[in-house]
């Protein structure tokens, strides 16, 4: 048997044209497999696996998507030319949604439709207690679609109106944490009251709004591609959001903050951040909440959320985890760890970060749908490279 050719992390980084930190990010997201070398300290990669990854990346690339929504450049994130980290500190989520949809930073409230609110509360109340927050969001979106006879209107004005009303309904379909019906309140506060029993505060609302803004879009992420494919078939806006929610459900995408939550919880309540990292590295399991292939020196969304989060043991532990990983492996924290910190600090459940991600990204999915509705329909039709049994 021919021995496998093994590559070091540095060799893989050179082959892929990325930093070692990005290679670790690929591993943490399940895109590359690694193994420990004899001393148990460094990673090795089978060259065949790396070659397959390169081939797959070339094969699955999606050329031809020109977008005017989001730019990621030099470790910065921009929405229609505006710095997203500045918007996160200065603009409401509603106004950023308008910016993505119309190009104008208009602070238009999301209207609560009483009938749609009753429907959302009714259909989600019948779900089992084991249902996650994002399960409830998906059910609300499906019910809202069934209740809208004009859902196939994909004109820009109709999509924007649908988006504002749907986002309000998605939040209204989540049960209040204290069990008391929530009075009419601003959008961010309404979401707050459904993901934590902690009383709303100015600092809490500020960091939650910032998280929604920073997660509103992120170029052609997996869920955004799914949403654009749906829109290209002229699926209605509700179906576009449903497609995005389906792709977001994976642990390597929107649900990643739920994996970082117990890590951070252990760092706070256990032996400490360094010991927590040590245990994870010893097990050979990728450390969740670190590294991102699109940012070489750190995720600006995570930096912003950490700066806005109130001081306390959770923030201290998260920053110590970040410093440890930056120093030892050159892998800084990403937005998943920051979301986990937000959730843990404010007494939210582990799946709250995923729900915040889903609600925030809904604005982006609809913005991309608007671009697709104005483009050539059904333009996504890649051809498969058949590798099965040939016919006789």
């Amino acid at each position: 048997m021919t021995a496998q050719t093994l590559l070091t992390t540095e060799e893989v980084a050179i082959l892929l044209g990325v930093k070692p930190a990005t290679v670790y990010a690929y591993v943490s997201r399940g895109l590359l497999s690694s193994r420990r070398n004899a001393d148990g300290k460094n990673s090795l990669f089978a060259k065949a696996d790396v070659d397959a990854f390169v081939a797959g990346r070339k094969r699955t690339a999606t050329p031809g998507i020109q977008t005017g929504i989001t730019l990621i450049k030099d470790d910065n994130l921009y929405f229609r030319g505006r710095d997203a980290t500045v918007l996160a500190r200065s603009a409401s989520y509603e106004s950023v949604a308008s910016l993505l949809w119309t190009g104008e930073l208009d602070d238009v409230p999301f209207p609560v439709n009483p009938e749609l609110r009753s429907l959302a509360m009714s259909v989600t109340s019948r779900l089992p207690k084991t249902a996650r927050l994002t399960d409830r969001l998906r059910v609300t979106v499906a019910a809202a679609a069934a209740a809208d006879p004009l859902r196939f209107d994909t004109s820009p004005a109709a999509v924007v109106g649908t988006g504002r009303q749907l986002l309000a309904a998605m939040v209204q379909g989540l049960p209040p944490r204290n069990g008391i019906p929530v009075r009419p309140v601003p959008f961010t506060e309404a979401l707050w009251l459904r993901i934590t029993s902690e009383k709303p505060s100015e600092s809490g609302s500020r960091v939650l709004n910032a998280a929604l803004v920073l997660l509103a879009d992120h170029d052609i992420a997996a869920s955004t591609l799914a949403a654009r494919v749906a829109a290209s078939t002229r699926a209605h806006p509700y179906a576009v959001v449903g497609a995005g929610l389906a792709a977001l459900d994976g642990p390597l995408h929107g649900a990643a903050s739920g994996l970082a939550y117990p890590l951070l919880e252990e760092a706070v309540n256990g032996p400490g951040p360094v010991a927590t990292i040590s245990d994870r590295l010893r097990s050979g399991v990728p450390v969740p909440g670190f590294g991102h292939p699109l940012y070489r020196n750190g995720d600006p969304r995570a930096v912003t959320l950490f700066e806005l989060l109130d001081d306390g043991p959770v923030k201290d532990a998260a920053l110590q985890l970040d410093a440890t990983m930056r120093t030892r492996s050159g892998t800084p924290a990403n937005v998943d760890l920051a979301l986990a910190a937000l959730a843990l600090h404010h007494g939210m459940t582990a799946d709250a970060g995923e729900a915040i991600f889903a609600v925030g990204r809904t604005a982006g999915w609809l913005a991309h749908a608007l671009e697709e509705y104005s483009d050539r329909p059904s333009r996504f039709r890649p051809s498969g490279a058949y590798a099965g049994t040939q016919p006789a």
Side-chain angles (χ1 to χ4, degrees):
M1 178 180 289
T2 304
Q4 279 191 322
T5 301
L6 299 176
L7 303 175
T8 65
T9 303
E10 291 71 20
E11 289 172 332
V12 173
I14 293 172
L15 186 62
L16 298 180
V18 299
K19 284 189 172 183
T22 304
V23 177
Y24 291 126
Y26 290 148
V27 173
S28 68
R29 290 170 180 266
L31 303 176
L32 265 179
S33 298
S34 67
R35 66 194 73 181
R36 294 290 178 183
N37 67 359
D39 62 16
K41 295 181 180 179
N42 300 304
S43 298
L44 294 174
F45 300 80
K47 187 175 184 302
D49 291 344
V50 177
D51 290 342
F53 173 72
V54 172
R57 189 167 60 168
K58 290 179 179 178
R59 185 171 61 250
T60 57
T62 310
I65 297 183
Q66 294 188 343
T67 176
I69 301 170
T70 296
L71 171 67
I72 299 173
K73 183 179 180 181
D74 299 329
D75 285 344
N76 292 307
L77 176 65
Y78 302 93
F79 296 154
R80 297 201 182 278
R82 297 171 181 255
D83 190 325
T85 63
V86 174
L87 291 171
R89 297 173 182 275
S90 61
S92 69
Y93 173 69
E94 294 95 314
S95 64
V96 171
S98 294
L99 175 67
L100 297 180
W101 296 337
T102 70
E104 300 295 331
L105 196 66
D106 296 329
D107 195 1
V108 180
F110 296 158
V112 177
N113 182 314
E115 293 182 359
L116 198 53
R117 176 180 59 191
S118 296
L119 175 62
M121 294 174 64
S122 175
V123 296
T124 57
S125 67
R126 305 184 185 192
L127 293 175
K129 292 182 179 180
T130 54
R132 295 176 299 145
L133 293 172
T134 48
D135 293 330
R136 298 178 184 279
L137 293 176
R138 279 190 291 274
V139 170
T140 294
V141 171
D148 185 357
L150 301 178
R151 59 187 177 274
F152 286 100
D153 186 350
T154 58
S155 63
V159 173
V160 170
T162 295
R164 290 184 174 131
Q165 187 167 270
L166 177 59
L167 274 160
M170 289 167 68
V171 170
Q172 295 291 327
L174 300 175
R177 282 295 300 273
N178 58 15
I180 302 174
V182 179
R183 68 187 187 285
V185 293
F187 179 77
T188 302
E189 186 177 343
L191 177 59
W192 177 275
L193 293 170
R194 288 166 169 83
I195 56 178
T196 177
S197 55
E198 188 178 292
K199 289 184 179 180
S201 63
E202 183 179 347
S203 60
S205 296
R206 183 171 63 248
V207 71
L208 178 57
N209 178 79
L212 291 170
V213 169
L214 292 167
L215 291 164
D217 195 50
H218 205 234
D219 194 36
I220 311 298
S223 59
T224 302
L225 178 59
R228 290 194 77 123
V229 170
S232 76
T233 70
R234 297 304 181 257
H236 54 71
Y238 303 93
V240 167
V241 174
L245 285 169
L248 192 77
D249 198 49
L252 302 181
H253 192 13
S257 65
L259 301 178
Y261 187 99
L263 171 82
L264 185 55
E265 191 173 35
E266 180 184 332
V268 174
N269 301 319
V274 174
T276 298
I277 290 293
S278 176
D279 288 342
R280 291 301 176 100
L281 294 175
R282 186 180 299 117
S283 68
V285 177
V287 183
F290 293 90
H292 197 291
L294 297 183
Y295 299 111
R296 290 181 176 271
N297 299 306
D299 187 337
R301 301 170 299 174
V303 173
T304 301
L305 289 180
F306 284 140
E307 290 175 350
L308 293 174
L309 190 65
D310 287 339
D311 292 336
V314 173
K315 181 176 179 177
D316 291 342
L319 292 178
Q320 287 182 52
L321 289 171
D322 181 33
T324 300
M325 290 294 288
R326 281 177 183 267
T327 302
R328 299 305 295 250
S329 63
T331 311
N334 60 33
V335 74
D336 300 323
L337 185 71
L339 274 179
L342 188 164
L344 185 60
H345 178 80
H346 289 291
M348 302 174 188
T349 56
D351 66 336
E354 181 183 2
I356 295 168
F357 199 134
V359 171
R361 189 58 55 88
T362 295
W365 293 331
L366 291 173
H368 284 271
L370 284 164
E371 284 192 338
E372 279 301 323
Y373 289 148
S374 66
D375 209 322
R376 177 171 56 86
S378 299
R379 65 195 185 100
F380 297 101
R381 184 57 179 90
S383 298
Y386 182 70
T389 303
Q390 294 293 332

